[in-house]
Amino acid sequence: MKKLSIILSLVIASFLFITTSCGTSSSSSPGDISKKILKNTEKGNFDAVIAVFSTDGKELSDEDKAILTAMLQMGQEEIKKKDGIKSIEIIEEDINEAGDEATVNLKIICGNGEEKTETNKFVMEDGEWKYTME
């Protein structure tokens, strides 16, 4: 179960809901990005998920991208084992006063009926919200 929590946390870093765009715009909220990460992980759109990871302004190496892709593939397999994602509900989205950090609490309902709550953290980088594992 702990492995699933870690994988789903990474997955949430991942993804862009219903769209295939690799980028996000500043008009996308951290909650919207959380949903997109999960949906894109489920669909296998790993590049779209990786695009919303915080990199502190540095470009990811090919090795880092390969590691993230492998982790996302594991997340996709876990989602498949649970018969996919039935729904994602934003329980709470909190953006700090400075507007540069956000926390999103989600409830994920899987196709098999299993429910999971997740907390995701985001930082603002170059005018866009990016998922962070810190």
Side-chain angles (χ1 to χ4, degrees):
M1 190 59 143
K2 184 171 181 143
K3 178 180 174 184
L4 177 60
S5 293
I6 292 170
I7 291 170
L8 282 176
S9 292
L10 292 171
V11 167
I12 290 180
S14 35
F15 349 16
L16 301 172
F17 189 58
I18 300 177
T19 67
T20 57
S21 169
C22 287
T24 64
S25 68
S26 59
S27 64
S28 292
S29 73
D32 290 339
I33 295 169
S34 291
K35 288 180 174 184
K36 292 174 184 178
I37 286 171
L38 285 166
K39 285 297 189 178
N40 275 319
T41 298
E42 181 178 33
K43 293 178 183 179
N45 296 334
F46 304 133
D47 287 339
V49 174
I50 291 170
V52 298
F53 272 78
S54 171
T55 61
D56 293 326
K58 301 172 189 162
E59 188 170 331
L60 289 175
S61 69
D62 289 341
E63 181 179 349
D64 289 337
K65 288 178 186 176
I67 291 168
L68 287 173
T69 298
M71 292 168 64
L72 292 168
Q73 287 171 333
M74 291 185 336
Q76 182 186 38
E77 288 302 314
E78 289 297 319
I79 291 169
K80 284 180 184 177
K81 287 178 186 176
K82 307 229 178 267
D83 298 327
I85 297 171
K86 182 177 178 182
S87 67
I88 305 165
E89 176 187 342
I90 299 171
I91 299 168
E92 181 181 22
E93 179 181 88
D94 182 45
I95 299 174
N96 70 357
E97 285 186 35
D100 60 356
E101 295 181 351
T103 302
V104 177
N105 294 315
L106 301 167
K107 180 168 130 180
I108 304 158
I109 301 175
C110 298
N112 68 357
E114 184 175 321
E115 294 184 13
K116 174 132 183 70
T117 57
E118 290 287 333
T119 300
N120 300 299
K121 297 190 182 272
F122 291 84
V123 294
M124 183 65 74
E125 288 182 4
D126 299 323
E128 296 182 345
W129 287 110
K130 300 288 184 169
Y131 175 83
T132 182
M133 291 189 275
E134 294 181 12

